[in-house]
Amino acid sequence: MITLLALSGSLRLGSSNTVLLEAAALLAPAGMRIAAYDGIGSLPHFNPDLDGDNPPRSVMALRHLVGAADGLIISCPEYARGIPGSFKNALDWLVGSSEFPGKPIALFNASPRASDAQAALRLVLTTMSARIVEEASITLPLLATRMDAAGMAGNVEIAASVTAALAAFARAIETFAQAEPGGSG
Ligand SMILES: Cc1cc2nc3c(=O)[nH]c(=O)nc-3n(C[C@H](O)[C@H](O)[C@H](O)COP(=O)(O)O)c2cc1C
């Protein structure tokens, strides 16, 4: 079983990025489970002074979920041509963690316009030693669609794109695991 953790960069109710991740969970093939992480809004502001032997409980929970996942799917909007502060805050809590480096990541993007945030995310994630899986990274024009997850999953074009990305992600994760037995999740 491949276990993926989905992280949305938007806290907004009805967020197109969150809905895209929910649709991916509906479209997950047999042998893959996608769980959503919904704690980003509850994390404290990152402060290195808090990140010692006894980090905040919510941070430990996030790190545990990341460590237990075979890969992460991130879908993040663009705010003022950058990464939303709350999402960057979550990433900052993972910088010093042992769970994050080497983690396979599929970058989903619900807006073709959000190119600056995507570029910034790539730079940050690469700096954090993530493995961005390009074949599993997709951009879809969902900004004004107002679809729910079932609607997205039932849309032929969206479903084809998401399904292909998930299959590519599963292949990449299996390849990484074969190269490093015991090293994934
Ligand atoms: C404060 C703020 C700043 C934004 N800045 C940009 C921007 O620089 N570029 C862009 O393409 N969209 C920008 N947007 C639009 C959002 O990216 C867009 O509404 C997106 O759908 C939000 O994602 P969500 O639906 O997952 O919440 C901004 C929206 C907000 C609220």
Side-chain angles (χ1 to χ4, degrees):
M1 175 66 70
I2 290 178
T3 302
L4 303 180
L5 188 66
L7 295 102
S8 173
S10 175
L11 300 178
R12 193 173 69 82
L13 215 62
S15 149
S16 53
N17 287 280
T18 305
V19 173
L20 173 58
L21 293 171
E22 289 168 358
L26 294 177
L27 292 165
M32 177 184 284
R33 186 176 159 270
I34 302 177
Y37 173 71
D38 64 358
I40 285 181
S42 316
L43 292 171
H45 289 162
F46 176 70
N47 177 347
D49 292 341
L50 299 178
D51 196 15
D53 293 338
N54 200 10
R57 196 182 280 261
S58 56
V59 171
M60 288 203 288
L62 168 62
R63 290 175 177 172
H64 175 76
L65 288 169
V66 168
D70 297 303
L72 311 180
I73 311 181
I74 290 174
S75 192
C76 184
E78 176 167 299
Y79 283 177
R81 301 183 69 178
I83 303 169
S86 54
F87 193 69
K88 179 63 164 62
N89 183 58
L91 292 179
D92 286 344
W93 277 115
L94 293 170
V95 168
S97 75
S98 58
E99 292 85 354
F100 191 85
K103 195 59 69 176
I105 297 197
L107 269 185
F108 283 17
N109 176 13
S111 166
R113 213 174 62 186
S115 54
D116 289 312
Q118 287 297 303
L121 259 180
R122 281 169 187 278
L123 181 63
V124 169
L125 294 170
T126 307
T127 303
M128 293 168 66
S129 303
R131 292 194 231 210
I132 298 173
V133 177
E134 294 301 337
E135 321 84 83
S137 297
I138 50 172
T139 294
L140 294 167
L142 304 174
L143 209 59
T145 55
R146 294 176 190 276
M147 276 188 247
D148 63 9
M152 275 190 204
N155 177 289
V156 175
E157 284 174 22
I158 298 172
S161 179
V162 170
T163 303
L166 295 178
F169 202 29
R171 280 195 300 275
I173 287 169
E174 277 157 14
T175 305
F176 293 149
Q178 279 162 13
E180 301 161 30
S184 90

